[in-house]
Amino acid sequence: MTSGSVCAGGDLPFVSVILPVYNEMGYVGPCLESLLNNTYPANRYEILVIDGRSTDGTREYIEALARQDARVRLIDNPRRFLAPGINIGIREARGELLTRMDGHGVAAPDFIERSVEALREHPDAWCAGGPVNTVARSFIGQVIATAIRVPVGIGGPAYRTGNVEGYVPTVLQGTYRREVFERIGLLDENMIRTEDDDLHIRLHQAGGRIYITPKVRSDHYARESLSKVARQYYQYGYWRIPIILKYGKPATLRQVVPLAFVLSWLALVVAALLWRPALYALVGLVGVYLLVLLAGAIMAMRKHSFLVGLCTPAVFPLLHFGYGLGSLLAVLRFVVLRKPVAGDQGGTSLTR
């Protein structure tokens, strides 16, 4: 792909922002406001809100906003899930470039402009994006957001840190050249939670590259309760397994560590009932894990505050065990029981 697909004849490319939502009334307002107030010329982008038939007032809010601003279009997503919604947006988009935004996301004022600039400056990149800063509105949300940001939480992928520039395996809220989808196809609608990872694997297999730069800035609101973040990471772990089975290997070691972690705990708990040395090993594992939680809390204190950091050990196990248990149950379903991936929802909720 060449830079000509980014900017034809020196003109600014038309950008289509694709925003799938379902019951996002608490977040969609700031998200759309941030996009509508971007520095990119108003006549050079559109915002396609793909709604999964929301029931909390989200749909009515978008309809009212669309009547006020022609850049906003409301499109129905009868299947509700993310991948079908994004595919609807891709088909309906008029842009040369397609930007993916989450309902929990908030774009920086120059988000679209910097995304276009990144693709123009790196013509070999098929997609460009930036680090996503996890933010929150409540104290519990701040604890969750901080736990996610530190390496002990989820291992520190490039899109979670603010100082990485270069080529990476994946990004969140990225901007794609339209040719990407013409070349590798749309998102796999069987992948309920890992649709973007699947897309990026196919992108790399086709010879494409993804560029990340801290100049492209956006926020993403964390979950506001411990039960929601536990469910979220359970779903991430569950849907990681179909990706591994589809391509024969994980994209990174970090994606299978939680499964090995949970299996180690289960094996030692069972063995400890029958063999005393295993009990000693289990006690040792508990001690090591407590030290890891302490290290994570200290990292979190440095990033935020003493009180927030002190509370993060309540979140780390939800991330680790939630992801690992999700992966384990998916292995039982898809590997042991050989259930088909198609049509399975894995207890997944409709939103991020």
Side-chain angles (χ1 to χ4, degrees):
M1 297 187 183
T2 67
S3 59
S5 64
V6 178
C7 185
D11 295 330
L12 288 174
F14 193 84
V15 178
S16 295
V17 180
I18 298 173
L19 175 62
V21 298
Y22 175 76
N23 284 353
E24 294 279 9
M25 191 58 198
Y27 297 93
V28 72
C31 177
L32 285 169
E33 182 180 353
S34 72
L35 291 168
L36 291 171
N37 290 329
N38 250 243
T39 57
Y40 204 66
N43 64 343
R44 299 305 298 160
Y45 72 100
E46 64 179 353
I47 303 170
L48 308 182
V49 186
I50 320 299
D51 180 59
R53 299 180 176 176
S54 296
T55 58
D56 68 340
T58 297
R59 191 177 186 89
E60 291 75 14
Y61 175 84
I62 298 166
E63 288 174 339
L65 190 61
R67 288 193 292 268
Q68 299 171 14
D69 196 314
R71 288 175 292 175
V72 179
R73 291 171 57 197
L74 174 64
I75 304 173
D76 192 45
N77 174 19
R79 286 190 58 192
R80 297 190 178 184
F81 287 101
L82 287 169
I86 296 168
N87 285 343
I88 290 171
I90 293 170
R91 295 187 186 101
E92 292 285 336
R94 297 185 292 128
E96 302 163 59
L97 302 179
L98 310 181
T99 295
R100 167 84 163 84
M101 178 60 66
D102 277 335
H104 273 56
V106 176
D110 58 353
F111 175 81
I112 299 174
E113 179 184 350
R114 293 297 187 180
S115 299
V116 172
E117 181 182 87
L119 285 173
R120 176 181 291 174
E121 293 178 351
H122 302 278
D124 57 339
W126 294 13
C127 170
V132 177
N133 181 40
T134 306
V135 297
R137 295 171 174 170
S138 67
F139 177 76
I140 293 296
Q142 290 174 4
V143 173
I144 292 170
T146 304
I148 289 172
R149 285 199 295 264
V150 300
V152 169
I154 59 173
Y159 59 78
R160 294 289 186 188
T161 61
N163 57 354
V164 176
E165 178 145 9
Y167 294 96
V168 292
T170 188
V171 292
L172 298 177
Q173 302 184 158
T175 295
Y176 304 81
R177 305 180 194 274
R178 174 177 283 280
E179 298 99 299
V180 170
F181 305 101
E182 296 170 353
R183 185 162 181 173
I184 68 173
L186 302 180
L187 280 73
D188 185 343
E189 297 186 2
N190 290 322
M191 299 299 170
I192 302 296
R193 266 293 187 201
T194 48
E195 74 293 329
D196 49 352
D197 289 334
D198 176 76
L199 175 70
H200 293 158
I201 290 172
R202 288 189 283 128
L203 182 151
H204 286 292
Q205 287 180 338
R209 306 179 81 184
I210 298 173
Y211 193 82
I212 192 170
T213 171
K215 294 178 182 177
V216 177
R217 298 170 295 117
S218 65
D219 293 336
H220 193 275
Y221 281 101
R223 294 293 180 266
E224 298 290 343
S225 76
L226 296 179
S227 62
K228 288 182 178 179
V229 78
R231 189 183 314 119
Q232 179 185 21
Y233 277 83
Y234 163 83
Q235 292 164 1
Y236 286 160
Y238 186 94
W239 286 102
R240 176 57 48 194
I241 300 305
I243 289 286
I244 294 173
L245 294 175
K246 182 176 180 179
Y247 295 102
K249 62 179 181 179
T252 65
L253 181 62
R254 180 176 58 83
Q255 296 167 350
V256 294
V257 167
L259 174 58
F261 172 75
V262 167
L263 286 174
S264 298
W265 278 91
L266 290 175
L268 283 177
V269 168
V270 173
L273 298 175
L274 307 171
W275 191 42
R276 183 171 293 275
L279 176 60
Y280 300 146
L282 178 61
V283 172
L285 180 60
V286 171
V288 170
Y289 191 56
L290 289 176
L291 288 176
V292 170
L293 297 184
L294 177 60
I298 294 172
M299 294 178 190
M301 289 175 190
R302 291 174 176 173
K303 279 187 172 291
H304 202 284
S305 67
F306 176 82
L307 185 57
V308 167
L310 189 64
C311 295
T312 53
V315 179
F316 294 137
L318 300 180
L319 305 179
H320 303 155
F321 283 98
Y323 197 112
L325 286 171
S327 294
L328 177 58
L329 292 177
V331 167
L332 294 175
R333 180 176 179 84
F334 300 125
V335 179
V336 177
L337 299 178
R338 297 185 179 275
K339 297 290 187 180
V341 173
D344 182 74
Q345 296 180 3
T348 303
S349 61
L350 299 173
T351 61
R352 288 277 186 203

